[in-house]
Amino acid sequence: MLGQTLYLCGRTLRNLLRQPIWIVVMVVQPMFWLLLYSQLFRRITDLPGFGTTSYVDYLTPGVAVMTAFFSGSWAGMGMIEDLDRGVLERFLATPAHRGAIVFGRILESAIVATLQAVLILVTGLTLGATNGGAGGWLVILAASFLVAAGFAGLSHGIALLTRQEASMIAVAQFIGLPLLFFSSLLIARELIPGWMQTLSLLNPVEWAVRAARGEALPGTDWGEMGAFVALLLAFAAAMAAFATWCFRSYQRTL
Amino acid sequence: MDAIVVDDVQKTYGKDVRALDGMTFSVPEGEVFGLLGPNGAGKSTTVRVLVTLTAADGGRATVAGHDVGRDPGAVRRAIGYVPQASGVDRDATGRENLVLQGRLQGMRRPDVERRAGELLDRFGLVDKANALVRTYSGGMKRRLDVATGLMHRPQVLFLDEPTTGLDPEARAAMWEELERLAGAERLTILLTTHYLEEADRLAQRVAIVSRGRVVVEGRPDDLKRGLRGDTVAVELADGQSHRAREIVGGLPDVHEAIAEGSRVHARVDQGARAVPVILAALDGAGVPARAVTVSRPSLDDVYLHHTGRDFRADDEAGGR
């Protein structure tokens, strides 16, 4: 099953690499966010609660997580394309492991998000961020991988349930901005109203941000970071299970 | 041994859409078998049950000796499936599609490469082997579909509407390809089609399917021979076909007359001799004919004879 997951993941990655515009957007967009936000909100760290005076330091992990979250939540579009073109049915008539079809897709999003996180990290470091040392960098990559995998699972599940692009787009947009703003991705947690802070603890995007940013801020709490990473891992596993369940329910409708 | 056995298979979608209603037929090893019927007759559903995509509600089906419900894995290893909706990856090359299919079928790498090269060659795709499928013509893409289904040297190949959507030239080329295929490997092929001439040309035996069950089954020639003589089709003014059927049906030379739309189809021993008699009788009764055609029996007539309905009209109505 692992081999087939890798083949199927390799297939979609290869197809993506053939789209020059996609590559340019995937590379430029996150760097653009980082440059734009870090200039737009440069003075924001004059406010208390950030724990650092370098907004780039604060923002780099956030943009990595945001990018991973977005590319994960839109992943289901690829599944709908495979559904519409009969690709999925062709796979289903082979002895290929059913799980590999879903896992290959999830892995694809996670790998893309991790590569983007590397680029963002390099850009951030160029702009003067430090984000702790190598340990902090690794946590940023791990958080990006897991948050992308989790939302990709959710997205593929919804794609398999709705089987329509319009519904898929509506859901991705519906969850996109609220989850982004119910987190301390752009702004210090102390500056967010208390009830939002509480609710944000249920938000996987917040878990990823808190884990990824842990080492950039003073008073690094590795235990707390570990807990958030563990939560993300559980989220990614639950969403992979959800996507597999949706896949079985799709098969039953055939 | 029979490569495909379908025994009283039932499938209902939702509460009341009966896609298969006691579908029964079998295909001996090495035969090319055609499931022929209008759109919505249940051909694709039958194939989907046999390739393990869809679970039947009742009945029993085996492919290459394996039960489709109890041992789907063994069935999947034994079959190639070419769906109606292509199913190849448009953003990959022809060769990549074949290689991925081989890997999913569990073939080993050197064998995958060799077999992919062999099939690209056989289906005339060598020049375009490394081009993206989205640049292929309709005919080339369909040939790649078939090649994909053959990748792991299956025992049974399912072709769902192999030439639907192709232009006449590409269809003719595909027919030649399929004829060669049937001759070469010891392969059992089940193809579905709503083109009567396709079934006539490619299939050694056909089953005519209507409303989820087989209405008649046999060799195309035998089926046509079963309808003795020629068919005379008489076109009439609106609303007169039933009256005309009574008149024509009462003539001594006419074996059978069926009214369908504004036409009456009559089966006679010799068309040329019957036409003047039929026309005179209709004229005499005050229901003049607008046009007359005489034809040798075709599978169209077989369908009409066994279902009492016109094939093309059913095709457009989607079998409802």
Side-chain angles (χ1 to χ4, degrees), chain A residues 174-233:
Chain A
F174 180 73
I175 62 167
L177 289 182
L179 286 189
L180 204 59
F181 289 118
F182 269 97
S183 80
S184 57
L185 197 138
L186 293 171
I187 192 163
R189 204 152 52 90
E190 279 78 41
L191 299 176
I192 301 175
W195 66 276
M196 284 180 83
Q197 277 187 43
T198 315
L199 271 184
S200 76
L201 284 175
L202 299 172
N203 179 2
V205 177
E206 173 71 359
W207 304 341
V209 170
R210 294 279 285 280
R213 193 176 280 147
E215 224 216 343
L217 303 179
T220 304
D221 182 347
W222 285 101
E224 192 192 84
M225 283 167 68
F228 281 124
V229 170
L231 275 174
L232 280 175
L233 203 59

Side-chain angles (χ1 to χ4, degrees), chain A residues 103 106 146 149-151 153-154 229-244:
Chain A
F103 299 151
I106 292 177
L146 290 174
F151 281 101
L154 179 64
V229 170
L231 275 174
L232 280 175
L233 203 59
F235 170 64
M239 290 302 113
F242 169 70
T244 326

